[in-house]
Amino acid sequence: MVVREPIVTVDDEGRRLVWGAEGGPMTHYNGAVQVFVGGTGSRVVWTADFLPHEASAVIGPMLEAGMAAMKKALDGPGT
């Protein structure tokens, strides 16, 4: 699948990035990632909103793979 993902907004102060997606099986896609600092570490929240719902069979595994890659990169070597 090939899609174009234009950046909607970058909020450095809020540590938030929002993008959309054009092309592929969806009629609507909006994604956001934000980092929250707390305690001794940080928490990353990734939100994806898309239509049609039936695209979840394709998009769900992609999101899972993306989250796994993000976790591996953020946890660092040896984890």
Side-chain angles (χ1 to χ4, degrees):
M1 175 185 337
V2 176
V3 297
R4 182 175 171 270
E5 295 183 315
I7 301 297
V8 174
T9 188
V10 176
D11 178 358
D12 290 329
E13 186 176 326
R15 296 181 177 102
R16 184 170 183 258
L17 172 68
V18 179
W19 67 96
E22 300 167 349
M26 295 155 294
T27 58
H28 166 80
Y29 181 91
N30 185 62
V33 66
Q34 188 165 8
V35 178
F36 297 94
V37 178
T40 60
S42 300
R43 180 172 49 105
V44 177
V45 176
W46 181 4
T47 304
D49 179 31
F50 58 88
L51 291 173
H53 177 72
E54 293 75 24
S56 63
V58 173
I59 302 305
M62 292 176 168
L63 294 173
E64 293 290 332
M67 287 186 291
M70 189 184 308
K71 179 171 178 22
K72 182 177 179 181
L74 294 173
D75 284 347
T79 56

